[in-house]
Amino acid sequence: QNLEGKTAFVTGGASGIGLGIAKALLGAGMNVVIADIRDDHLAAATAELAGGDRVLAVKLDVTNRVQFAEVADAAEARFGKIHLLVNNAGVAVVGPTELATYADWDWVMGVNVGGTINGIVTMLPRILAHGEGGHIVCTASMSALVPVGMTTIYSSGKAAVTSMMECMRPELEGRGVICSAFCPGAVQSNIADAAKTRPADLADTGYAEADKRRASGGNFMHLYQTKEQVGQRVLEGILNDELYILTHSEFLDGVRERGEATTAAVQTHLPENPEYKQTFAMLFRNPAI
Ligand code: NAI
């Protein structure tokens, strides 16, 4: 698949993983739109990418549907068609579930899940309309595949995003749009700074004390993969049409255990109804039903 001259739209593309992805896509010859809520990140990323007129930096809050459509219009006005959407913008809160306020849930779900929904609703019809084929990648997380304590809000949102790609993949691949879930382990980034973008009306958090304790609990960034490493991995996953774009081999046992546990839980002692099996497969592959 030749990406040269095609256009990518990367949300949260001005920092960390999104910037690493933007770099790799630029290196593959694509035009790249980086869309981000932070002006300072946009300015620094534009300088770091040094992509000249192949880079468009735009301000976008992915939770703002009107703005998302405006920015998509601006991207099309500049580059023509958009072929690749990377729903990557994301934020996190971590800590015991019972401390979470509604505002903690609403902020993280609003950006990580709502922002992805807004990306799909804004961009998918545009990608299908030009008929040149395309790709949607969502940055989920390894925590969508391997259970991790203290991350209920974050991980369940990432599981939702992974599931969107799993559902959309069989639905859209026949029409030339490939869907991928990118599920990395830890990557060097600015996500610890995410609260700076938290809206005032969702400021009420149950994690202020937990955040202070975590901030003094040590910095493990040197153990994490770099944005360039994962950016290249995403590019490779796109070129290979991979559904699950994974990174860290440290999680192999966890991924395997989950697969084995769900497989073992299937009630194989009950007789299978072949008619139900066939009907189920048929119902969910036929857009007319
Ligand atoms: P980052 O903070 O370095 O980059 C995220 C970018 O998204 C920032 O530039 C931020 O300004 C932007 N952003 C935040 N809210 C936004 C909004 N409402 N609208 C538009 N842009 C917004 O963080 P990182 O780590 O690069 O995160 C990128 C994605 O990777 C997120 O979805 C995160 O959940 C995911 N992820 C990160 C991992 C890590 O270890 N860093 C591991 C697994 C997944």
Side-chain angles (χ1 to χ4, degrees), residues 11-18 35-38 41 60-63 88-91 111-112 139-142 154 158 184-191 197 224:
T11 70
S15 173
I17 293 172
D36 204 288
I37 198 171
R38 280 184 63 164
H41 282 184
L60 169 67
D61 176 351
V62 292
T63 68
N88 166 82
V91 295
V111 176
N112 295 9
T139 301
S141 165
M142 183 48 80
Y154 181 79
K158 293 303 186 180
V187 180
Q188 294 172 12
S189 81
N190 293 306
I191 200 163
T197 63
Y224 302 170

Side-chain angles (χ1 to χ4, degrees), residues 33-280:
V33 182
I34 52 171
D36 204 288
I37 198 171
R38 280 184 63 164
D39 289 315
D40 57 339
H41 282 184
L42 285 167
T46 303
E48 186 170 336
L49 287 170
D53 58 11
R54 286 202 292 127
V55 173
L56 175 65
V58 287
K59 174 126 173 171
L60 169 67
D61 176 351
V62 292
T63 68
N64 184 331
R65 293 171 174 173
V66 173
Q67 199 181 44
F68 216 130
E70 287 167 358
V71 165
D73 288 345
E76 286 178 340
R78 171 73 171 269
F79 294 122
K81 299 155 187 154
I82 294 160
H83 303 87
L84 166 62
L85 167 66
V86 185
N87 285 308
N88 166 82
V91 295
V93 290
V94 177
T97 309
E98 75 269 21
L99 296 182
T101 60
Y102 281 122
D104 287 318
W105 281 98
D106 288 349
W107 177 49
V108 177
M109 286 294 181
V111 176
N112 295 9
V113 181
T116 299
I117 293 168
N118 296 344
I120 292 168
V121 174
T122 306
M123 296 294 189
L124 179 58
R126 294 172 191 245
I127 294 173
L128 286 170
H130 64 58
E132 292 180 7
H135 206 123
I136 298 177
V137 178
C138 291
T139 301
S141 165
M142 183 48 80
S143 69
L145 305 177
V146 174
V148 184
M150 305 291 166
T151 66
T152 307
I153 304 176
Y154 181 79
S155 299
S156 57
K158 293 303 186 180
V161 162
T162 302
S163 179
M164 287 178 207
M165 295 299 92
E166 290 172 323
C167 295
M168 286 166 60
R169 173 108 178 178
E171 187 185 318
L172 291 167
E173 64 188 344
R175 296 161 74 193
V177 178
I178 303 296
C179 293
S180 303
F182 173 45
C183 301
V187 180
Q188 294 172 12
S189 81
N190 293 306
I191 200 163
D193 228 16
K196 288 191 179 146
T197 63
R198 189 165 172 152
D201 62 333
L202 296 177
D204 171 38
T205 180
Y207 290 111
E209 286 308 313
D211 282 349
K212 263 187 239 159
R213 274 198 303 278
R214 264 191 328 121
S216 61
N219 184 340
F220 304 105
M221 200 80 100
H222 62 287
L223 300 175
Y224 302 170
Q225 291 194 8
T226 64
K227 65 181 189 295
E228 286 79 13
Q229 266 178 300
V230 298
Q232 281 301 324
R233 175 68 190 105
V234 170
L235 172 62
E236 178 187 271
I238 291 168
L239 291 171
N240 294 333
D241 288 352
E242 293 171 44
L243 169 56
Y244 303 107
I245 304 177
L246 303 191
T247 52
H248 297 60
S249 59
E250 294 86 349
F251 295 96
L252 176 62
D253 288 344
V255 171
R256 184 182 285 131
E257 278 163 25
R258 185 180 200 240
E260 285 172 358
T262 50
T263 304
V266 176
Q267 301 290 284
T268 48
H269 60 284
L270 298 177
E272 182 179 302
N273 180 338
E275 194 185 344
Y276 170 63
K277 193 173 177 179
Q278 214 180 7
T279 307
F280 185 87

